[in-house]
Amino acid sequence: MEYFKRRYLINGPIGTVFLFIYNYFLIDILFRYIDYQLNPVVLLSICLFLALVNIISITVEMNASHKITRIFMEISELWKWASLMFLFELILLYVLGLFIKIPRELVLILYSLVIVLGVYGYYNAHHIKVKYHNLPILKEDNNESIAILHISDVHFGSIRRESILVNLKNKINQVYLDLKQGGMEHIVVIISGDLVDGSSPVDIKDLEPLKDIKPKVIFTPGNHDHYQDINGLLNDLEELGVIVLNDDSLDMKDLGLNIIGLNFKYEDMESKWEEYHFNLPVNKSETNILIFHLPVFYEYFKKLGVDLQLSGHTHGGQFYPANLWVRAVYHKLKGLYAFSRDGVSDRFYLSVSTGLGTMGPPIRIGTDSEIVVLTLNNKDFKK
C-alpha cells in the first residue's frame, strides 16, 4: 500500500504539475511549426483542462470507479501517448530544420501520422490474438498432451474494465472448444499476475466473467494485484472458482504436473529477491511449472528443477519506442525462449507473455494482446 501511495503521488499531484508545464511548451511549439500562434488564454485553458482531467480521474478512481472518470482517464492516457509521439516529431523537425526549410505540408503529414498510429494502436490493443507453441517437457511415462493457456497482465481497472474480462472469457472458451475438437483432453488456464490494474477498487461482481471460463483457471499475483485490496481480490477469486497459488503449489498428479505459484510484489525486493533465496517445492518426478510475474531469475529457477517458467510484466514494451527501454531492463522481452548448452537442449522454457491488457495508454504498436497456448508433450524426451 505504501508503494501505491507513492505511485499516486508521482502520477497524481507531481505528475499533473509536470504535465501542465510540459503540455504548455509542447502545444505552443506544435502550433508554431504550422505558423499559427495560439492565444495565451486558450493555451493555458487547454493545459489546465488536461491537468484537471489527469488529477481528477486518478484521484476519484482510487476510491470508486465511475464511467465519467474512466473516460477522463482514457483521454488523459491517450493524450500522454500522443504527446510523446509529437515530442519525437518535434525533435525530428528541429534537426531537419538545421539543414532545410521545412514545408508546412510535411509538418501536417507528420502530425496526421500520430493520429493514424493512435487509431491502429488502439484497435490492436483491443483485439486478442492466440499464439501456439509445442514444448516437449512432459516426463517419459506421460503419453498425453496438455494445453496450458498462458495469460498475463489483464490489467482490469479504470481504463480496461467490463469488456476486457468478457472478451477474455469468450476467447478462452472458443480456444477451449477448438482444442477439444482437435482431441486435446487436458486444458488449463494460467494467469501469471496483474489480473487487476490497481487503479480502482474491484469487487466480486466485476470479476464474475471468470467463473464462466470452461477450463480450470490458476492465478498467481503480480505487483499490480497488491496495489489495493490484495486479500479481498484473492478471496473473491477463490469464491469464483479460481485456484490461487500465492507462494504455494498445486500437485496435479493425474497430469504429471507440479505447478508452483511464486507471488511477486516490489516490497520483496530488499529481502528474498536480492539473495535469490526461494524455497520451491519442486517434484523431480513430475513436470514443474513455475508462475512468476517477472521474467527474471530463470537460470536460477532452472537449476532448482523448474521445466517451464510463465512470466509477463514487460507487455513486450507495449509500443515503440518504449520497448527499447523495457528491453534494456528485461532482456527476455516477449515470446517463448528455449535454453540450451553446447547445442544440447536444457529442456527448460521461459514464456514471457506480452499481456492481454495495457498499462497506461490503451495502445499497442509492435506488440499484441495475446493468449499463448503451450502444448506440453513428451516428444523426443530423454532422461
mmCIF file of all heavy atoms in Angstrom, residues 133 138 141-150 172 175-190 214-218 252-257 259 289 372-377:
data_model
loop_
_atom_site.group_PDB
_atom_site.id
_atom_site.type_symbol
_atom_site.label_atom_id
_atom_site.label_comp_id
_atom_site.label_asym_id
_atom_site.label_seq_id
_atom_site.Cartn_x
_atom_site.Cartn_y
_atom_site.Cartn_z
ATOM 1 N N HIS A 133 2.490 -22.879 -29.334
ATOM 2 C CA HIS A 133 3.844 -23.438 -29.260
ATOM 3 C C HIS A 133 3.765 -24.868 -28.732
ATOM 4 O O HIS A 133 2.904 -25.185 -27.906
ATOM 5 C CB HIS A 133 4.737 -22.617 -28.327
ATOM 6 C CG HIS A 133 4.901 -21.190 -28.727
ATOM 7 N ND1 HIS A 133 5.786 -20.786 -29.704
ATOM 8 C CD2 HIS A 133 4.283 -20.066 -28.273
ATOM 9 C CE1 HIS A 133 5.714 -19.473 -29.832
ATOM 10 N NE2 HIS A 133 4.813 -19.009 -28.977
ATOM 11 N N LEU A 138 7.123 -32.952 -20.993
ATOM 12 C CA LEU A 138 6.494 -33.923 -20.109
ATOM 13 C C LEU A 138 7.430 -35.102 -19.890
ATOM 14 O O LEU A 138 8.224 -35.447 -20.764
ATOM 15 C CB LEU A 138 5.164 -34.401 -20.700
ATOM 16 C CG LEU A 138 4.032 -33.366 -20.787
ATOM 17 C CD1 LEU A 138 2.776 -34.019 -21.311
ATOM 18 C CD2 LEU A 138 3.772 -32.708 -19.435
ATOM 19 N N ASP A 141 6.938 -41.138 -19.078
ATOM 20 C CA ASP A 141 5.801 -42.039 -18.906
ATOM 21 C C ASP A 141 4.454 -41.357 -19.113
ATOM 22 O O ASP A 141 3.410 -41.955 -18.927
ATOM 23 C CB ASP A 141 5.833 -42.690 -17.517
ATOM 24 C CG ASP A 141 5.868 -41.649 -16.408
ATOM 25 O OD1 ASP A 141 5.996 -40.458 -16.729
ATOM 26 O OD2 ASP A 141 5.777 -42.031 -15.227
ATOM 27 N N ASN A 142 4.472 -40.097 -19.501
ATOM 28 C CA ASN A 142 3.228 -39.379 -19.768
ATOM 29 C C ASN A 142 3.033 -39.299 -21.282
ATOM 30 O O ASN A 142 3.709 -38.548 -21.971
ATOM 31 C CB ASN A 142 3.286 -37.971 -19.161
ATOM 32 C CG ASN A 142 1.924 -37.294 -19.179
ATOM 33 O OD1 ASN A 142 1.091 -37.563 -20.031
ATOM 34 N ND2 ASN A 142 1.703 -36.409 -18.220
ATOM 35 N N ASN A 143 2.108 -40.078 -21.800
ATOM 36 C CA ASN A 143 1.902 -40.152 -23.242
ATOM 37 C C ASN A 143 0.825 -39.205 -23.750
ATOM 38 O O ASN A 143 0.509 -39.196 -24.936
ATOM 39 C CB ASN A 143 1.528 -41.592 -23.633
ATOM 40 C CG ASN A 143 2.664 -42.554 -23.371
ATOM 41 O OD1 ASN A 143 3.823 -42.250 -23.655
ATOM 42 N ND2 ASN A 143 2.343 -43.719 -22.804
ATOM 43 N N GLU A 144 0.241 -38.409 -22.856
ATOM 44 C CA GLU A 144 -0.809 -37.485 -23.262
ATOM 45 C C GLU A 144 -0.239 -36.072 -23.408
ATOM 46 O O GLU A 144 0.803 -35.741 -22.841
ATOM 47 C CB GLU A 144 -1.932 -37.490 -22.243
ATOM 48 C CG GLU A 144 -2.640 -38.829 -22.122
ATOM 49 C CD GLU A 144 -3.809 -38.745 -21.169
ATOM 50 O OE1 GLU A 144 -3.579 -38.783 -19.952
ATOM 51 O OE2 GLU A 144 -4.946 -38.655 -21.656
ATOM 52 N N SER A 145 -0.941 -35.264 -24.171
ATOM 53 C CA SER A 145 -0.569 -33.859 -24.316
ATOM 54 C C SER A 145 -1.435 -33.010 -23.397
ATOM 55 O O SER A 145 -2.592 -33.347 -23.120
ATOM 56 C CB SER A 145 -0.735 -33.405 -25.765
ATOM 57 O OG SER A 145 0.173 -34.065 -26.609
ATOM 58 N N ILE A 146 -0.870 -31.918 -22.937
ATOM 59 C CA ILE A 146 -1.578 -30.995 -22.048
ATOM 60 C C ILE A 146 -1.440 -29.589 -22.620
ATOM 61 O O ILE A 146 -0.338 -29.172 -22.991
ATOM 62 C CB ILE A 146 -0.989 -31.032 -20.628
ATOM 63 C CG1 ILE A 146 -1.034 -32.463 -20.065
ATOM 64 C CG2 ILE A 146 -1.727 -30.063 -19.709
ATOM 65 C CD1 ILE A 146 -0.216 -32.642 -18.799
ATOM 66 N N ALA A 147 -2.535 -28.855 -22.688
ATOM 67 C CA ALA A 147 -2.504 -27.481 -23.193
ATOM 68 C C ALA A 147 -2.571 -26.501 -22.024
ATOM 69 O O ALA A 147 -3.489 -26.555 -21.203
ATOM 70 C CB ALA A 147 -3.649 -27.233 -24.158
ATOM 71 N N ILE A 148 -1.577 -25.626 -21.966
ATOM 72 C CA ILE A 148 -1.569 -24.543 -20.983
ATOM 73 C C ILE A 148 -1.894 -23.248 -21.717
ATOM 74 O O ILE A 148 -1.174 -22.852 -22.643
ATOM 75 C CB ILE A 148 -0.195 -24.412 -20.294
ATOM 76 C CG1 ILE A 148 0.205 -25.730 -19.614
ATOM 77 C CG2 ILE A 148 -0.206 -23.257 -19.302
ATOM 78 C CD1 ILE A 148 -0.656 -26.111 -18.440
ATOM 79 N N LEU A 149 -2.980 -22.589 -21.334
ATOM 80 C CA LEU A 149 -3.303 -21.282 -21.903
ATOM 81 C C LEU A 149 -2.690 -20.225 -20.984
ATOM 82 O O LEU A 149 -3.208 -19.953 -19.895
ATOM 83 C CB LEU A 149 -4.816 -21.093 -22.010
ATOM 84 C CG LEU A 149 -5.495 -21.655 -23.267
ATOM 85 C CD1 LEU A 149 -5.269 -23.154 -23.388
ATOM 86 C CD2 LEU A 149 -6.979 -21.331 -23.266
ATOM 87 N N HIS A 150 -1.559 -19.682 -21.424
ATOM 88 C CA HIS A 150 -0.828 -18.714 -20.605
ATOM 89 C C HIS A 150 -1.343 -17.303 -20.887
ATOM 90 O O HIS A 150 -1.298 -16.825 -22.026
ATOM 91 C CB HIS A 150 0.676 -18.800 -20.915
ATOM 92 C CG HIS A 150 1.492 -17.821 -20.141
ATOM 93 N ND1 HIS A 150 2.737 -17.394 -20.552
ATOM 94 C CD2 HIS A 150 1.255 -17.172 -18.968
ATOM 95 C CE1 HIS A 150 3.214 -16.536 -19.687
ATOM 96 N NE2 HIS A 150 2.334 -16.372 -18.714
ATOM 97 N N ILE A 172 -11.145 -17.467 -24.521
ATOM 98 C CA ILE A 172 -10.659 -18.697 -23.897
ATOM 99 C C ILE A 172 -11.608 -19.860 -24.198
ATOM 100 O O ILE A 172 -11.171 -20.958 -24.568
ATOM 101 C CB ILE A 172 -10.517 -18.527 -22.376
ATOM 102 C CG1 ILE A 172 -9.313 -17.638 -22.050
ATOM 103 C CG2 ILE A 172 -10.348 -19.883 -21.682
ATOM 104 C CD1 ILE A 172 -9.159 -17.343 -20.572
ATOM 105 N N VAL A 175 -11.137 -21.023 -27.751
ATOM 106 C CA VAL A 175 -9.896 -21.805 -27.879
ATOM 107 C C VAL A 175 -10.077 -23.173 -27.240
ATOM 108 O O VAL A 175 -9.622 -24.199 -27.777
ATOM 109 C CB VAL A 175 -8.713 -21.053 -27.228
ATOM 110 C CG1 VAL A 175 -7.464 -21.936 -27.194
ATOM 111 C CG2 VAL A 175 -8.423 -19.755 -27.993
ATOM 112 N N TYR A 176 -10.747 -23.206 -26.101
ATOM 113 C CA TYR A 176 -11.013 -24.463 -25.393
ATOM 114 C C TYR A 176 -11.799 -25.433 -26.282
ATOM 115 O O TYR A 176 -11.442 -26.615 -26.413
ATOM 116 C CB TYR A 176 -11.793 -24.153 -24.117
ATOM 117 C CG TYR A 176 -12.287 -25.355 -23.353
ATOM 118 C CD1 TYR A 176 -11.441 -26.056 -22.496
ATOM 119 C CD2 TYR A 176 -13.609 -25.783 -23.480
ATOM 120 C CE1 TYR A 176 -11.893 -27.166 -21.788
ATOM 121 C CE2 TYR A 176 -14.068 -26.885 -22.779
ATOM 122 C CZ TYR A 176 -13.213 -27.566 -21.932
ATOM 123 O OH TYR A 176 -13.670 -28.657 -21.234
ATOM 124 N N LEU A 177 -12.853 -24.933 -26.925
ATOM 125 C CA LEU A 177 -13.663 -25.781 -27.805
ATOM 126 C C LEU A 177 -12.859 -26.251 -29.010
ATOM 127 O O LEU A 177 -12.954 -27.414 -29.423
ATOM 128 C CB LEU A 177 -14.909 -25.021 -28.261
ATOM 129 C CG LEU A 177 -15.960 -24.734 -27.177
ATOM 130 C CD1 LEU A 177 -17.082 -23.881 -27.737
ATOM 131 C CD2 LEU A 177 -16.508 -26.026 -26.600
ATOM 132 N N ASP A 178 -12.042 -25.356 -29.568
ATOM 133 C CA ASP A 178 -11.207 -25.723 -30.715
ATOM 134 C C ASP A 178 -10.218 -26.824 -30.339
ATOM 135 O O ASP A 178 -10.009 -27.781 -31.098
ATOM 136 C CB ASP A 178 -10.446 -24.502 -31.234
ATOM 137 C CG ASP A 178 -11.371 -23.474 -31.882
ATOM 138 O OD1 ASP A 178 -12.520 -23.835 -32.213
ATOM 139 O OD2 ASP A 178 -10.948 -22.316 -32.038
ATOM 140 N N LEU A 179 -9.606 -26.697 -29.165
ATOM 141 C CA LEU A 179 -8.650 -27.701 -28.711
ATOM 142 C C LEU A 179 -9.338 -29.035 -28.428
ATOM 143 O O LEU A 179 -8.807 -30.108 -28.749
ATOM 144 C CB LEU A 179 -7.920 -27.208 -27.464
ATOM 145 C CG LEU A 179 -6.925 -26.056 -27.654
ATOM 146 C CD1 LEU A 179 -6.455 -25.524 -26.311
ATOM 147 C CD2 LEU A 179 -5.731 -26.494 -28.494
ATOM 148 N N LYS A 180 -10.510 -28.964 -27.826
ATOM 149 C CA LYS A 180 -11.268 -30.180 -27.547
ATOM 150 C C LYS A 180 -11.632 -30.909 -28.841
ATOM 151 O O LYS A 180 -11.519 -32.142 -28.935
ATOM 152 C CB LYS A 180 -12.548 -29.837 -26.771
ATOM 153 C CG LYS A 180 -12.340 -29.587 -25.288
ATOM 154 C CD LYS A 180 -11.978 -30.879 -24.556
ATOM 155 C CE LYS A 180 -11.940 -30.694 -23.062
ATOM 156 N NZ LYS A 180 -11.582 -31.946 -22.345
ATOM 157 N N GLN A 181 -12.069 -30.143 -29.835
ATOM 158 C CA GLN A 181 -12.418 -30.739 -31.120
ATOM 159 C C GLN A 181 -11.200 -31.342 -31.806
ATOM 160 O O GLN A 181 -11.316 -32.283 -32.595
ATOM 161 C CB GLN A 181 -13.077 -29.693 -32.016
ATOM 162 C CG GLN A 181 -14.466 -29.284 -31.544
ATOM 163 C CD GLN A 181 -15.057 -28.142 -32.350
ATOM 164 O OE1 GLN A 181 -14.438 -27.639 -33.299
ATOM 165 N NE2 GLN A 181 -16.260 -27.712 -31.996
ATOM 166 N N GLY A 182 -10.034 -30.795 -31.487
ATOM 167 C CA GLY A 182 -8.791 -31.316 -32.044
ATOM 168 C C GLY A 182 -8.236 -32.506 -31.276
ATOM 169 O O GLY A 182 -7.161 -33.007 -31.608
ATOM 170 N N GLY A 183 -8.947 -32.935 -30.231
ATOM 171 C CA GLY A 183 -8.538 -34.123 -29.482
ATOM 172 C C GLY A 183 -7.787 -33.848 -28.197
ATOM 173 O O GLY A 183 -7.344 -34.780 -27.520
ATOM 174 N N MET A 184 -7.637 -32.576 -27.821
ATOM 175 C CA MET A 184 -6.932 -32.247 -26.585
ATOM 176 C C MET A 184 -7.841 -32.500 -25.380
ATOM 177 O O MET A 184 -8.931 -31.933 -25.280
ATOM 178 C CB MET A 184 -6.494 -30.783 -26.596
ATOM 179 C CG MET A 184 -5.675 -30.358 -25.387
ATOM 180 S SD MET A 184 -4.056 -31.144 -25.322
ATOM 181 C CE MET A 184 -3.266 -30.384 -26.761
ATOM 182 N N GLU A 185 -7.382 -33.349 -24.467
ATOM 183 C CA GLU A 185 -8.207 -33.715 -23.318
ATOM 184 C C GLU A 185 -7.978 -32.804 -22.109
ATOM 185 O O GLU A 185 -8.899 -32.482 -21.382
ATOM 186 C CB GLU A 185 -7.927 -35.168 -22.917
ATOM 187 C CG GLU A 185 -8.477 -36.189 -23.889
ATOM 188 C CD GLU A 185 -9.993 -36.173 -23.963
ATOM 189 O OE1 GLU A 185 -10.645 -35.948 -22.918
ATOM 190 O OE2 GLU A 185 -10.530 -36.370 -25.068
ATOM 191 N N HIS A 186 -6.722 -32.390 -21.894
ATOM 192 C CA HIS A 186 -6.364 -31.670 -20.673
ATOM 193 C C HIS A 186 -5.978 -30.228 -21.011
ATOM 194 O O HIS A 186 -5.000 -29.989 -21.718
ATOM 195 C CB HIS A 186 -5.218 -32.370 -19.957
ATOM 196 C CG HIS A 186 -5.476 -33.839 -19.748
ATOM 197 N ND1 HIS A 186 -6.478 -34.301 -18.925
ATOM 198 C CD2 HIS A 186 -4.877 -34.947 -20.267
ATOM 199 C CE1 HIS A 186 -6.482 -35.613 -18.933
ATOM 200 N NE2 HIS A 186 -5.527 -36.041 -19.740
ATOM 201 N N ILE A 187 -6.751 -29.281 -20.476
ATOM 202 C CA ILE A 187 -6.539 -27.860 -20.776
ATOM 203 C C ILE A 187 -6.606 -27.077 -19.470
ATOM 204 O O ILE A 187 -7.557 -27.231 -18.692
ATOM 205 C CB ILE A 187 -7.605 -27.338 -21.757
ATOM 206 C CG1 ILE A 187 -7.592 -28.171 -23.049
ATOM 207 C CG2 ILE A 187 -7.372 -25.863 -22.072
ATOM 208 C CD1 ILE A 187 -8.775 -27.920 -23.963
ATOM 209 N N VAL A 188 -5.603 -26.254 -19.224
ATOM 210 C CA VAL A 188 -5.532 -25.453 -18.002
ATOM 211 C C VAL A 188 -5.203 -24.008 -18.375
ATOM 212 O O VAL A 188 -4.352 -23.759 -19.238
ATOM 213 C CB VAL A 188 -4.455 -25.988 -17.034
ATOM 214 C CG1 VAL A 188 -4.382 -25.130 -15.781
ATOM 215 C CG2 VAL A 188 -4.740 -27.436 -16.669
ATOM 216 N N VAL A 189 -5.873 -23.069 -17.733
ATOM 217 C CA VAL A 189 -5.584 -21.640 -17.915
ATOM 218 C C VAL A 189 -4.731 -21.166 -16.746
ATOM 219 O O VAL A 189 -5.064 -21.416 -15.584
ATOM 220 C CB VAL A 189 -6.883 -20.807 -17.976
ATOM 221 C CG1 VAL A 189 -6.559 -19.314 -18.028
ATOM 222 C CG2 VAL A 189 -7.720 -21.214 -19.178
ATOM 223 N N ILE A 190 -3.618 -20.476 -17.060
ATOM 224 C CA ILE A 190 -2.755 -19.932 -16.003
ATOM 225 C C ILE A 190 -2.562 -18.435 -16.244
ATOM 226 O O ILE A 190 -2.122 -18.019 -17.326
ATOM 227 C CB ILE A 190 -1.390 -20.635 -15.964
ATOM 228 C CG1 ILE A 190 -1.571 -22.119 -15.586
ATOM 229 C CG2 ILE A 190 -0.458 -19.944 -14.960
ATOM 230 C CD1 ILE A 190 -0.275 -22.900 -15.515
ATOM 231 N N LYS A 214 -14.484 -22.086 -19.116
ATOM 232 C CA LYS A 214 -14.670 -23.546 -19.064
ATOM 233 C C LYS A 214 -13.481 -24.293 -18.459
ATOM 234 O O LYS A 214 -13.672 -25.162 -17.604
ATOM 235 C CB LYS A 214 -14.999 -24.073 -20.463
ATOM 236 C CG LYS A 214 -16.335 -23.573 -21.005
ATOM 237 C CD LYS A 214 -16.652 -24.173 -22.344
ATOM 238 C CE LYS A 214 -17.960 -23.622 -22.894
ATOM 239 N NZ LYS A 214 -19.127 -23.933 -22.042
ATOM 240 N N PRO A 215 -12.235 -24.016 -18.874
ATOM 241 C CA PRO A 215 -11.116 -24.760 -18.263
ATOM 242 C C PRO A 215 -10.852 -24.287 -16.835
ATOM 243 O O PRO A 215 -11.314 -23.233 -16.406
ATOM 244 C CB PRO A 215 -9.913 -24.432 -19.166
ATOM 245 C CG PRO A 215 -10.467 -23.720 -20.356
ATOM 246 C CD PRO A 215 -11.766 -23.127 -19.950
ATOM 247 N N LYS A 216 -10.091 -25.070 -16.115
ATOM 248 C CA LYS A 216 -9.652 -24.700 -14.775
ATOM 249 C C LYS A 216 -8.723 -23.495 -14.879
ATOM 250 O O LYS A 216 -7.845 -23.438 -15.743
ATOM 251 C CB LYS A 216 -8.918 -25.874 -14.137
ATOM 252 C CG LYS A 216 -8.430 -25.656 -12.714
ATOM 253 C CD LYS A 216 -7.737 -26.910 -12.195
ATOM 254 C CE LYS A 216 -8.695 -28.085 -12.177
ATOM 255 N NZ LYS A 216 -8.053 -29.304 -11.617
ATOM 256 N N VAL A 217 -8.910 -22.498 -13.999
ATOM 257 C CA VAL A 217 -8.105 -21.268 -14.018
ATOM 258 C C VAL A 217 -7.230 -21.215 -12.771
ATOM 259 O O VAL A 217 -7.717 -21.359 -11.644
ATOM 260 C CB VAL A 217 -8.991 -20.010 -14.089
ATOM 261 C CG1 VAL A 217 -8.116 -18.749 -14.084
ATOM 262 C CG2 VAL A 217 -9.876 -20.036 -15.320
ATOM 263 N N ILE A 218 -5.929 -20.986 -12.975
ATOM 264 C CA ILE A 218 -4.965 -20.857 -11.883
ATOM 265 C C ILE A 218 -4.363 -19.456 -11.941
ATOM 266 O O ILE A 218 -4.027 -18.960 -13.027
ATOM 267 C CB ILE A 218 -3.858 -21.915 -12.001
ATOM 268 C CG1 ILE A 218 -4.460 -23.326 -11.917
ATOM 269 C CG2 ILE A 218 -2.797 -21.728 -10.912
ATOM 270 C CD1 ILE A 218 -3.481 -24.433 -12.222
ATOM 271 N N MET A 252 -0.670 -31.700 -9.533
ATOM 272 C CA MET A 252 -1.702 -32.351 -10.351
ATOM 273 C C MET A 252 -1.155 -33.710 -10.795
ATOM 274 O O MET A 252 -0.678 -33.875 -11.922
ATOM 275 C CB MET A 252 -2.058 -31.460 -11.546
ATOM 276 C CG MET A 252 -2.513 -30.068 -11.126
ATOM 277 S SD MET A 252 -2.826 -28.943 -12.528
ATOM 278 C CE MET A 252 -4.360 -29.639 -13.160
ATOM 279 N N LYS A 253 -1.206 -34.643 -9.876
ATOM 280 C CA LYS A 253 -0.587 -35.952 -10.107
ATOM 281 C C LYS A 253 -1.189 -36.675 -11.302
ATOM 282 O O LYS A 253 -0.492 -37.408 -12.004
ATOM 283 C CB LYS A 253 -0.725 -36.817 -8.849
ATOM 284 C CG LYS A 253 0.060 -36.305 -7.654
ATOM 285 C CD LYS A 253 -0.049 -37.259 -6.477
ATOM 286 C CE LYS A 253 0.705 -36.724 -5.270
ATOM 287 N NZ LYS A 253 2.150 -36.600 -5.528
ATOM 288 N N ASP A 254 -2.487 -36.480 -11.534
ATOM 289 C CA ASP A 254 -3.131 -37.166 -12.652
ATOM 290 C C ASP A 254 -2.580 -36.709 -13.994
ATOM 291 O O ASP A 254 -2.623 -37.440 -14.987
ATOM 292 C CB ASP A 254 -4.641 -36.947 -12.610
ATOM 293 C CG ASP A 254 -5.019 -35.469 -12.601
ATOM 294 O OD1 ASP A 254 -4.267 -34.669 -12.006
ATOM 295 O OD2 ASP A 254 -6.059 -35.124 -13.184
ATOM 296 N N LEU A 255 -2.010 -35.485 -14.031
ATOM 297 C CA LEU A 255 -1.428 -34.965 -15.270
ATOM 298 C C LEU A 255 0.097 -34.992 -15.248
ATOM 299 O O LEU A 255 0.734 -34.653 -16.241
ATOM 300 C CB LEU A 255 -1.907 -33.529 -15.509
ATOM 301 C CG LEU A 255 -3.422 -33.315 -15.653
ATOM 302 C CD1 LEU A 255 -3.724 -31.850 -15.927
ATOM 303 C CD2 LEU A 255 -3.993 -34.188 -16.752
ATOM 304 N N GLY A 256 0.672 -35.338 -14.113
ATOM 305 C CA GLY A 256 2.125 -35.324 -14.006
ATOM 306 C C GLY A 256 2.691 -33.919 -13.951
ATOM 307 O O GLY A 256 3.835 -33.688 -14.344
ATOM 308 N N LEU A 257 1.875 -32.986 -13.452
ATOM 309 C CA LEU A 257 2.304 -31.590 -13.368
ATOM 310 C C LEU A 257 2.397 -31.141 -11.916
ATOM 311 O O LEU A 257 1.527 -31.458 -11.094
ATOM 312 C CB LEU A 257 1.317 -30.664 -14.086
ATOM 313 C CG LEU A 257 1.127 -30.802 -15.588
ATOM 314 C CD1 LEU A 257 0.140 -29.748 -16.079
ATOM 315 C CD2 LEU A 257 2.451 -30.684 -16.328
ATOM 316 N N ILE A 259 2.594 -27.497 -10.273
ATOM 317 C CA ILE A 259 2.511 -26.073 -10.609
ATOM 318 C C ILE A 259 2.790 -25.254 -9.363
ATOM 319 O O ILE A 259 2.113 -25.396 -8.340
ATOM 320 C CB ILE A 259 1.136 -25.722 -11.197
ATOM 321 C CG1 ILE A 259 0.867 -26.594 -12.433
ATOM 322 C CG2 ILE A 259 1.075 -24.244 -11.562
ATOM 323 C CD1 ILE A 259 -0.488 -26.363 -13.063
ATOM 324 N N ILE A 289 6.126 -26.522 -13.310
ATOM 325 C CA ILE A 289 5.798 -25.250 -13.950
ATOM 326 C C ILE A 289 5.807 -24.165 -12.876
ATOM 327 O O ILE A 289 5.119 -24.291 -11.853
ATOM 328 C CB ILE A 289 4.428 -25.306 -14.632
ATOM 329 C CG1 ILE A 289 4.425 -26.369 -15.731
ATOM 330 C CG2 ILE A 289 4.056 -23.941 -15.212
ATOM 331 C CD1 ILE A 289 3.075 -26.560 -16.390
ATOM 332 N N VAL A 372 -1.348 -17.218 -25.049
ATOM 333 C CA VAL A 372 -0.321 -18.126 -25.539
ATOM 334 C C VAL A 372 -0.722 -19.560 -25.175
ATOM 335 O O VAL A 372 -0.899 -19.870 -23.999
ATOM 336 C CB VAL A 372 1.054 -17.792 -24.933
ATOM 337 C CG1 VAL A 372 2.116 -18.755 -25.465
ATOM 338 C CG2 VAL A 372 1.439 -16.352 -25.249
ATOM 339 N N VAL A 373 -0.883 -20.395 -26.187
ATOM 340 C CA VAL A 373 -1.246 -21.789 -25.969
ATOM 341 C C VAL A 373 0.023 -22.635 -26.047
ATOM 342 O O VAL A 373 0.658 -22.741 -27.100
ATOM 343 C CB VAL A 373 -2.273 -22.283 -27.008
ATOM 344 C CG1 VAL A 373 -2.631 -23.748 -26.747
ATOM 345 C CG2 VAL A 373 -3.525 -21.416 -26.970
ATOM 346 N N LEU A 374 0.393 -23.225 -24.918
ATOM 347 C CA LEU A 374 1.593 -24.059 -24.832
ATOM 348 C C LEU A 374 1.155 -25.525 -24.744
ATOM 349 O O LEU A 374 0.554 -25.936 -23.748
ATOM 350 C CB LEU A 374 2.414 -23.681 -23.601
ATOM 351 C CG LEU A 374 2.836 -22.205 -23.507
ATOM 352 C CD1 LEU A 374 3.433 -21.908 -22.145
ATOM 353 C CD2 LEU A 374 3.819 -21.847 -24.616
ATOM 354 N N THR A 375 1.426 -26.283 -25.793
ATOM 355 C CA THR A 375 1.083 -27.699 -25.797
ATOM 356 C C THR A 375 2.258 -28.497 -25.267
ATOM 357 O O THR A 375 3.321 -28.563 -25.892
ATOM 358 C CB THR A 375 0.721 -28.172 -27.221
ATOM 359 O OG1 THR A 375 -0.395 -27.417 -27.699
ATOM 360 C CG2 THR A 375 0.355 -29.655 -27.205
ATOM 361 N N LEU A 376 2.079 -29.099 -24.090
ATOM 362 C CA LEU A 376 3.136 -29.877 -23.447
ATOM 363 C C LEU A 376 3.016 -31.332 -23.875
ATOM 364 O O LEU A 376 1.934 -31.917 -23.833
ATOM 365 C CB LEU A 376 3.036 -29.781 -21.924
ATOM 366 C CG LEU A 376 2.840 -28.386 -21.314
ATOM 367 C CD1 LEU A 376 2.880 -28.473 -19.799
ATOM 368 C CD2 LEU A 376 3.865 -27.403 -21.838
ATOM 369 N N ASN A 377 4.140 -31.921 -24.288
ATOM 370 C CA ASN A 377 4.159 -33.344 -24.650
ATOM 371 C C ASN A 377 5.518 -33.925 -24.278
ATOM 372 O O ASN A 377 6.370 -33.225 -23.740
ATOM 373 C CB ASN A 377 3.855 -33.534 -26.145
ATOM 374 C CG ASN A 377 4.753 -32.676 -27.023
ATOM 375 O OD1 ASN A 377 5.971 -32.748 -26.918
ATOM 376 N ND2 ASN A 377 4.158 -31.847 -27.874
#
